[in-house]
Amino acid sequence: MAIAVANCCFSVLTSTVKLRCSISSQRRLAPSHTSLVSNKKNFNKSSSSTSKPSTSDRKFPRRSKDGGGDNERSKSSAFKSSGVQKKDKKEFQLNFKDQQVDAATLQDAAFLNAVVKVYCTHIAPDYSLPWQKQRQYTSTGRQVLKCFLAFMIGEGKLLTNAHCVEHDTQVKVKRRGDDTKYVAKVLARGVDCDIALLSVESEEFWKGAEPLHFGHLPCLQDAVTVVGYPLGGDTISVTKGVVSRIEVTSYAHGSSELLGIQIDAAINPGNSGGPAFNDKGECIGVAFQVYRSEEVENIGYVIPTTVVSHFLDDYERNGKYTGFPCLGVLLQKLENPALRACLQVQSNESVFVEDKKRCTEEDVIAAIDVEVGRGVLVRRVEPTSDAYHVLKEGDVIVSFDDINVGCEGTVPFRSNERIAFRYLISQKFAGDVAEFGIIRAGSLMKVKIVLNPRVHLVPYHIDGGQPSYLIIAGLVFTPLSEPLIEEECEDTMGLKLLTKARYSLARFKGEQIVILSQVLANELNIGYEDMGNQQVLKFNGIQIKNIHHLTHLVDSCKEKYLVFEFEDNYLAVLEREAATSASTCILKDYGIPSERSSDLLEPYVDSLGDNQAKEQDFGDSPVSNLEIGIDGIHWA
């Protein structure tokens, strides 16, 4: 019996030593871990909602499951470290004690008290039934007590992610160590940058509060600490890591591309809106999304302070958030020498070889600009952008505000780094003017362009929250939007309509793709009951510009029949007087409060007059380089 007990104790002791050595090996290997990134990115917002996902919680652009392999990695590490000497174990124990000291210091850190928990009640619109809303649900997020800077309006402000308070009806906040919840108000919401600004009027909430201080943009391998209330517990959570990458990345919530910080610290559902700190206790950004894939792990993203400052400056300047500007130009790389020669993009050497005596000082400067930058080719310009009246297809952009643009569409960024050219555009504000150096037909020239936010033909978010709709004799018309596509499922939309939604450009501001969402069955619309999710192009021979225009045409119609023309020359005809008299009965049968949304009650103003835009040209206008999967083209 004594021998058996001794063997058992020895076995337990051996297992303990192996476990401690395994952990030590993992800690030493962690800093050299390299993340693998697939070509098709899939970003997920670290949303804190678990009861019911909203349309804003979609993954971009495709959904994928979390990768496995943790067990194999731990087994391999344990096997390799099974022969660790006693010296290694001592080092591990010392490191562990140091970490315990750091944890104790962190526990008492004042900046942890600046992190508050938020309870939000959401009511999302029902895009398939646009006259009503979905069932309400609740979620929690993280907020940061921001520093009261000179450009801020008043005091008592909170910073969080926009997707944390999307479709909010009530927002409450609670400080760490307190059991009282206080009502908060959303002051501004930046969908494209996934940032929202809140305020709390209660003075009791701010007693003893110390706001956070923003730090500078970190460097690679700088230590980072993420704080929040993720899933797995109710108390505050702290995870550590390093800065892995800084580049222009896709923001899942707004489907935009702005500067982002990639870190390897764990970011889980519930970390949304939580601050990320450097080793000085300064806030370097806000956690907002993660990368999910079977091939990679530990890839989280933080909104840097440069983007946060831009959001706050925008709010201070305009009293509201106006958005990040966009050039609205489809670009192509100029890496191929033959392509550059065909576009007459001459190099520095070619100018001097041609004739040194005839080279003026301006020619030399122009040649140097081309040699250093080489530029990118303008393939197409959005009709709704201000660049449409300045740039032409075939132009080569070689500089932006005297900063040379490389042949891959990149510009210098800090020391020995380059970043996407659109980063410079995102540093501007709506209405700012930028100077571009372009080569047109071999001639170098300078042009100025006003930068404004991009106009989406198919919006990713609905302004005001509730979609517009119009019901005529049971025919339900509504504008096409990304939330509607997701709610209806792509299979029911049809390939042609999805192609327009993904690749078409708005021809003028205010243009919408108006579709017949469904038909509420009635004896007046017999034969049309199976119609649904089809674009309506014309009404009584007049091309439709948007849902408000269609409402105006129907209201002002004096003809006997209401003729709706759809794709592939499909017609739906209703008798005008019969349709008007049947509307009340149809609304009553289906429990619909009104035949149109409240925004369609306003008078229609035609900003284009009677000029009809040309037919939509689609098929060569990818919304994003991520959609089409080609690295050679991207939107600025």
Side-chain angles (χ1 to χ4, degrees):
M1 178 65 70
I3 295 175
V5 172
N7 290 337
C8 181
C9 295
F10 177 78
S11 177
V12 172
L13 179 61
T14 304
S15 301
T16 304
V17 172
K18 288 185 177 180
L19 176 61
R20 293 168 66 100
C21 294
S22 174
I23 297 176
S24 175
S25 176
Q26 291 179 10
R27 291 184 185 274
R28 291 196 304 272
L29 293 175
S32 62
H33 180 266
T34 302
S35 301
L36 303 177
V37 182
S38 61
N39 292 331
K40 298 183 180 179
K41 291 187 175 182
N42 184 7
F43 298 99
N44 302 329
K45 291 168 295 179
S46 55
S47 174
S48 54
S49 173
T50 57
S51 57
K52 179 177 180 180
S54 64
T55 56
S56 65
D57 292 330
R58 60 179 181 276
K59 301 176 182 177
F60 178 81
R62 293 183 177 88
R63 299 179 184 271
S64 62
K65 297 180 180 179
D66 296 343
D70 291 338
N71 294 333
E72 295 179 0
R73 180 177 289 105
S74 61
K75 290 179 180 179
S76 176
S77 301
F79 177 77
K80 291 180 180 179
S81 60
S82 59
V84 176
Q85 298 177 1
K86 294 182 179 180
K87 180 180 179 181
D88 295 335
K89 288 188 286 184
K90 278 187 177 181
E91 290 177 354
F92 167 71
Q93 291 174 357
L94 292 176
N95 292 336
F96 184 73
K97 290 180 180 179
D98 293 341
Q99 291 177 5
Q100 283 182 325
V101 174
D102 293 340
T105 304
L106 186 63
Q107 180 72 19
D108 299 332
F111 60 78
L112 289 183
N113 297 326
V115 181
V116 303
K117 198 169 185 178
V118 171
Y119 302 84
C120 184
T121 302
H122 312 259
I123 297 184
D126 192 329
Y127 296 93
S128 299
L129 304 175
W131 52 84
Q132 66 183 27
K133 292 182 178 290
Q134 301 178 13
R135 182 182 179 88
Q136 75 174 19
Y137 60 99
T138 60
S139 65
T140 59
R142 305 297 89 70
Q143 268 65 30
V144 184
L145 276 68
K146 53 168 293 302
C147 56
F148 303 116
L149 304 179
F151 52 82
M152 297 305 299
I153 301 177
E155 298 181 349
K157 303 297 190 303
L158 298 171
L159 199 64
T160 186
N161 288 145
H163 71 263
C164 289
V165 292
E166 187 179 25
H167 307 307
D168 65 287
T169 57
Q170 185 186 69
V171 181
K172 294 180 293 185
V173 295
K174 184 178 70 172
R175 291 184 57 178
R176 180 191 180 203
D178 195 358
D179 60 353
T180 303
K181 299 177 183 177
Y182 300 87
V183 176
K185 179 182 178 182
V186 180
L187 298 180
R189 185 184 289 107
V191 174
D192 52 356
C193 61
D194 200 4
I195 302 176
L197 186 65
L198 311 181
S199 67
V200 179
E201 296 180 356
S202 175
E203 297 181 358
E204 184 69 22
F205 176 81
W206 297 100
K207 285 185 177 181
E210 296 184 12
L212 299 180
H213 299 281
F214 286 127
H216 297 290
L217 193 66
C219 299
L220 298 182
Q221 294 186 344
D222 280 359
V224 59
T225 301
V226 178
V227 180
Y229 292 85
L231 297 178
D234 296 329
T235 58
I236 197 167
S237 171
V238 178
T239 57
K240 288 187 176 183
V242 297
V243 175
S244 305
R245 180 183 296 156
I246 299 178
E247 65 177 1
V248 175
T249 188
S250 295
Y251 280 44
H253 182 62
S255 297
S256 56
E257 295 184 349
L258 300 171
L259 188 67
I261 302 175
Q262 178 184 323
I263 63 176
D264 65 354
I267 296 181
N268 299 302
N271 272 116
S272 292
F277 298 98
N278 57 18
D279 52 4
K280 298 180 181 179
E282 298 172 332
C283 178
I284 62 170
V286 184
F288 74 115
Q289 67 184 23
V290 293
Y291 182 94
R292 301 291 189 192
S293 174
E294 296 180 354
E295 291 84 11
V296 298
E297 60 183 13
N298 293 339
I299 296 183
Y301 289 89
V302 173
I303 303 173
T305 54
T306 53
V307 177
V308 174
S309 298
H310 188 286
F311 168 82
L312 298 176
D313 287 342
D314 190 358
Y315 178 79
E316 175 68 15
R317 286 185 176 192
N318 305 287
K320 62 179 181 179
Y321 178 71
T322 60
F324 282 78
C326 177
L327 183 59
V329 175
L330 182 65
L331 303 174
Q332 179 179 342
K333 298 178 181 180
L334 289 183
E335 296 178 286
N336 189 276
L339 178 59
R340 293 197 300 269
C342 178
L343 296 171
Q344 303 181 46
V345 179
Q346 296 179 332
S347 64
N348 189 17
E349 293 80 359
S350 63
V351 174
F352 285 101
V353 170
E354 190 174 320
D355 193 342
K356 295 183 179 180
K357 296 182 180 181
R358 292 188 301 173
C359 288
T360 63
E361 184 178 355
E362 295 179 355
D363 293 332
V364 174
I365 295 175
I368 293 175
D369 286 341
V370 175
E371 172 63 18
V372 175
R374 293 183 178 176
V376 287
L377 174 65
V378 175
R379 294 186 58 217
R380 193 170 183 181
V381 186
E382 294 190 29
T384 56
S385 68
D386 294 272
Y388 186 76
H389 305 288
V390 180
L391 299 178
K392 297 180 180 180
E393 296 179 6
D395 289 347
V396 178
I397 299 177
V398 296
S399 68
F400 177 90
D401 283 344
D402 295 328
I403 299 177
N404 295 315
V405 179
C407 61
E408 291 186 335
T410 59
V411 294
F413 179 68
R414 300 197 296 194
S415 60
N416 300 324
E417 294 182 77
R418 297 190 68 86
I419 199 168
F421 159 56
R422 53 189 177 274
Y423 164 73
L424 298 179
I425 300 175
S426 67
Q427 299 303 297
K428 298 288 186 177
F429 291 89
D432 285 356
V433 178
E435 185 179 64
F436 291 81
I438 65 172
I439 295 178
R440 179 176 295 170
S443 300
L444 180 66
M445 62 181 66
K446 297 285 187 177
V447 296
K448 294 184 178 181
I449 301 176
V450 180
L451 302 176
N452 283 300
R454 187 184 181 193
V455 177
H456 293 276
L457 179 62
V458 180
Y460 288 90
H461 295 265
I462 305 297
D463 294 336
Q466 199 67 18
S468 304
Y469 72 92
L470 174 66
I471 302 177
I472 304 174
L475 277 65
V476 182
F477 297 96
T478 186
L480 184 64
S481 63
E482 287 294 338
L484 176 61
I485 294 176
E486 182 175 354
E487 192 169 296
E488 286 287 314
C489 298
E490 295 184 355
D491 297 339
T492 64
M493 284 294 175
L495 181 59
K496 194 168 186 178
L497 188 59
L498 284 177
T499 303
K500 285 188 175 183
R502 294 290 184 265
Y503 304 124
S504 295
L505 302 177
R507 299 164 294 179
F508 53 87
K509 294 182 179 179
E511 182 183 16
Q512 295 175 327
I513 296 180
V514 183
I515 66 170
L516 174 64
S517 176
Q518 60 178 309
V519 177
L520 307 176
N522 184 267
E523 59 182 10
L524 195 64
N525 52 46
I526 292 177
Y528 308 142
E529 303 94 331
D530 296 332
M531 295 181 63
N533 295 330
Q534 299 182 33
Q535 182 183 5
V536 53
L537 302 176
K538 297 180 180 180
F539 174 79
N540 284 358
I542 302 177
Q543 189 169 355
I544 298 173
K545 302 174 183 178
N546 48 50
I547 186 69
H548 212 152
H549 184 221
L550 174 60
T551 305
H552 170 70
L553 294 177
V554 173
D555 292 341
S556 59
C557 178
K558 304 298 182 184
E559 304 293 334
K560 181 178 180 181
Y561 296 104
L562 306 178
V563 182
F564 300 92
E565 298 183 34
F566 299 88
E567 286 281 0
D568 301 325
N569 297 325
Y570 196 92
L571 299 179
V573 181
L574 300 172
E575 189 176 352
R576 180 173 59 85
E577 294 182 356
T580 302
S581 59
S583 294
T584 304
C585 181
I586 295 176
L587 296 177
K588 182 179 179 181
D589 291 342
Y590 287 89
I592 302 175
S594 177
E595 66 177 0
R596 64 187 64 181
S597 54
S598 58
D599 61 312
L600 299 182
L601 298 176
E602 301 293 332
Y604 173 71
V605 178
D606 190 358
S607 59
L608 299 177
D610 296 331
N611 296 330
Q612 295 295 322
K614 63 181 180 180
E615 291 294 330
Q616 183 66 268
D617 181 22
F618 60 91
D620 192 30
S621 308
V623 175
S624 167
N625 60 309
L626 298 178
E627 291 285 350
I628 198 170
I630 298 178
D631 293 334
I633 55 179
H634 55 81
W635 283 106

